[in-house]
């Protein structure tokens, strides 16, 4: 290896303190020209280059000129080593590049989509997925991931609901922390940890009408109570970087929003990492109507943005703004210093090839061990939505008809945002069932329908080359063939729902029901009189009242990652007992959206148990109830809750209360139950939600076993942001609820006293 020559002092590896790097950063800044400083703020996408081509690629010249701070969308240790070599050998100051990627739910070993992972309610498991993702990505040259995405989302029309942890700020915060910990470990300089980038600050999930990139607008009080907590939690957990969102907040797009990026993020929350924009978000402020590229770039820098993803507004205009006195050199130095600091923290100044160990790529990516873990983890994310007469689990015997547009499809298994997946090696449900059943039962297959009968819609659902294997025959013919197959079987497994690219970025839907052709298939299958189990593929909550009313068993498997087929088969045949619980509400119809459990009471609440009452808050044509509430999910066994007990009826600010409940597994199978603790602040200076999650525990119980499950509640759990955005608790009465979902709960009461 060519020795790496430093024009400045190397970092002290023994300490990650900012102060350790400050002097080094200052001395480096003093050597840099304005152009070189602006170069550090520039993050182009690498595009596809083949190994050996890096020195001739269109960005090589820019790197030599010191016009690039990092690259993303480039992978393999070999390629990244080549590119890094240009930076550290051929540029004047030899500053290493940072290499980023969207490692969202696994790398080559793909885990379920984030929304699915959240349904495990298992923080160790979620942290483990991030850890494995970091090991694999860093073995492939990457040291920075654009994850976790922690945007609270309450609108299932928004396709990116698939990428987050659902609707709840408390659960979302726990998950945000677990992910950051998993990626970053305890020591960012280790070659198998990566820096995380929490995104998208802020409120991206509240896009109006669920249309991606759309405007958001909300009160500060809602913002701080309901949307901000997960971002803050990720920052408290030490996330090294933050990504801006595309949307506006209070009329100013995030990337120009100084209140957000400086006052809140840095001053209130104490964030000291760097801020990168989302893809071309600075340039997009021209269309938002904030000025030309020079103006919006200056606004972004002034607001607190450090790195410009793709758009090159910083690179091409900030010098002019400096000359005009619109920005100062110290604005540039601040941003540049933060990026250099991240590179110090990652250990890149000591060894720019730290993440380019060709050996690791051979032995640490897509290993059998990782794949085995992915299989086990996937099964923990499935949510059993219905199971009439214990139709599930299936027995491994007789003849099973496997029917559905994606039942024998590999490329749709990993789910949206799985850019490093080995799609051809993903496990289809057909593969998985055959492997799990072996020769104990016969599996017959028919496609049964397309995802959509409309070829235009299906083409959109098959973006990025994720073929749905479209069948050109008329609908009736495809269905008739499936009915014949079903008639020969003892039981039908109907694989119904979305293709993976029907959720994710720029995949909003105004109609969130099952596409008509698939419903026609389901009807035909049900008419055969055979028992039908519906396996649901989806990246969002769907409005599936008809399916709930007509299909006896429904297992929601989301998009379960590279080992999906095995994991689904494990659950269908009872090797694993489903224990996932929904983290977003399923509406009865799209008109109820946004619908979430922690809503306010209003001044005219509908009395409990009443379906409709004039002059109360409700609809003429649908009840207020969701189809499936937040926290909901069944098991092959039954759990019963009894004996809710509060250790005292009042606490002061320094005291704690124990809430306990008896949980019994009264069914035939061993299983795990997510016990959920909610509270309601009955009287406060501002209106409070009817329920708020403040704790949960995943408890394993053998068949017939009972356990006492206890939670500790203290004053801290009762805090919220008041009208002045102060984080306070207020004395008064509180209700406590414990149950297996947000609707079916046992209730108690206590007071917080001065
Ligand atoms: C997405 C981000 C992503 C970025 C880089 C954008 O379109 O909104 O979430 O990290 O692209 O790929």
């Amino acid at each position: 290896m060519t020795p790496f020559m430093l024009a400045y002092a190397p970092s002290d590896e023994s300490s990650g303190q900012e102060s350790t790097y400050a002097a080094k950063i200052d001395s480096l800044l003093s050597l840099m020209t304005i152009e070189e400083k602006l170069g550090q703020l520039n993050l182009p996408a690498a595009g596809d280059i083949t190994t050996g081509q890096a020195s001739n690629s269109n960005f090589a010249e820019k790197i030599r000129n010191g016009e690039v701070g990092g690259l993303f969308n480039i992978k393999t240790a070999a390629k990244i080593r080549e590119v890094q070599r240009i930076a550290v050998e051929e540029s004047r100051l030899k500053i290493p590049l940072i290499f980023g990627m969207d490692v969202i739910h696994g790398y080559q070993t793909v885990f379920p989509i984030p929304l699915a992972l959240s349904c495990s309610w298992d923080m160790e498991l979620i942290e483990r997925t991030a850890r494995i993702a970091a090991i694999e990505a860093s073995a492939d040259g990457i040291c920075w991931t654009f994850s976790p995405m922690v945007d609270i989302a309450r609108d299932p029309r928004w396709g990116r609901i698939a990428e987050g942890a659902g609707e709840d700020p408390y659960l979302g915060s726990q998950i945000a922390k677990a992910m950051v910990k998993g990626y970053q470990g305890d020591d960012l300089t280790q070659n198998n940890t990566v820096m995380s980038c929490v995104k998208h600050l802020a409120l991206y999930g509240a896009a109006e009408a669920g249309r991606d990139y759309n405007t958001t607008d909300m009160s500060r009080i809602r913002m701080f109570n309901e949307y901000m907590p997960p971002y803050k939690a990720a920052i408290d957990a030490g996330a090294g970087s933050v990504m801006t969102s595309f949307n506006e907040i209070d009329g100013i797009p995030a990337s120009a929003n100084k209140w957000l990026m400086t006052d809140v993020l840095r001053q209130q929350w104490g964030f000291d990492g760097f801020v990168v924009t989302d893809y071309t978000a600075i340039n997009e402020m021209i269309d938002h109507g904030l000025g030309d590229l020079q103006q919006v770039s200056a606004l972004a820098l002034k607001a607190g943005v450090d790195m410009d993803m793709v758009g090159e507004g910083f690179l091409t205009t900030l010098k002019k703004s400096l000359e005009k006195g619109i920005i100062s050199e110290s604005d540039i130095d601040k941003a540049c210093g933060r990026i250099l600091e991240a590179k110090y923290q990652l250990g890149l100044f000591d060894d720019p090839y730290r993440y380019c160990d060709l050996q690791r790529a051979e032995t640490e990516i897509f290993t059998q061990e990782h794949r085995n873990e992915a299989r086990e983890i996937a099964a923990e994310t499935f949510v059993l939505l219905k199971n009439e007469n214990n139709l599930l689990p299936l027995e491994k015997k007789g003849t099973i008809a496997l029917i559905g547009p994606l039942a024998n499809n590999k490329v749709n298994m990993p789910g949206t945002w799985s850019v490093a997946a080995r799609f051809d090696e993903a496990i289809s449900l057909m593969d998985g069932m055959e492997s799990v059943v072996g020769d104990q039962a016969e599996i017959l297959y028919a496609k049964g329908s397309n995802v959509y009968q409309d070829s235009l819609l299906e083409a959109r659902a098959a973006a990025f080359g994720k073929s749905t294997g479209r069948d050109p025959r008329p609908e009736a013919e495809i269905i008739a063939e499936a009915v014949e197959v079903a008639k020969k079987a003892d039981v039908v497994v109907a694989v119904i729902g979305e293709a993976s690219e029907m959720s994710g970025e720029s995949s909003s839907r105004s109609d969130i029901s099952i596409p008509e052709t698939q419903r026609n298939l389901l009807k035909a299958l049900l008419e055969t009189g055979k028992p039908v189990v519906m396996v649901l593929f989806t990246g969002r909550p769907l409005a599936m009242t008809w399916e709930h009313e007509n299909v006896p068993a429904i297992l929601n498997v989301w998009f379960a990652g590279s080992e999906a087929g095995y994991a689904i088969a494990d659950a269908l045949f009872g090797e694993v007992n489903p224990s996932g619980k929904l983290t977003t509400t399923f509406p009865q119809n799209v008109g109820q959206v946004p619908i979430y459990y922690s809503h306010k009471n209003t001044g005219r609440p509908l009395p409990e148990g009443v379906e409709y009452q004039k002059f109360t808050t409700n609809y003429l044509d649908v009840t207020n109830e969701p189809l499936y509430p937040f926290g909901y999910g069944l098991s092959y066994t039954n759990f019963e809750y009894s004996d809710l007990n509060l250790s005292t009826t009042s606490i002061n600010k320094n005291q704690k209360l124990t809430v306990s409940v008896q949980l019994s597994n009264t069914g035939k199978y061993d299983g795990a139950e997510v016990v959920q603790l909610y509270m309601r602040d009955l009287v406060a200076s501002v209106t409070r939600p009817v329920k708020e999650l403040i704790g949960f525990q995943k408890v394993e119980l053998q068949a017939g076993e009972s356990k006492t499950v206890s939670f500790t509640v203290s004053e801290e759990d009762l805090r919220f942001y008041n009208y002045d955005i102060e984080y306070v608790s207020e004395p008064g009465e509180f209700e406590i609820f414990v149950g297996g979902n947000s609707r079916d709960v046992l209730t108690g009461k206590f007071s917080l006293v001065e």
Side-chain angles (χ1 to χ4, degrees), residues 115 125 158 191 376 386 413 422 545 551 608 653 672 685:
L115 183 58
L125 171 152
W158 191 54
N191 72 355
E376 281 170 26
K386 187 177 174 190
M413 295 304 99
R422 297 198 195 182
T545 307
V551 185
E608 213 168 301
K653 289 202 170 203
S685 57

Side-chain angles (χ1 to χ4, degrees), residues 72 102 146 160 199-200 243 246 278-279 309 417 505:
F72 74 107
D102 290 277
F146 304 144
R160 300 196 81 170
K199 70 189 189 186
H200 308 81
M243 187 184 292
F246 289 124
D278 202 345
Y279 203 108
M309 188 192 284
W417 268 127
E505 187 170 350

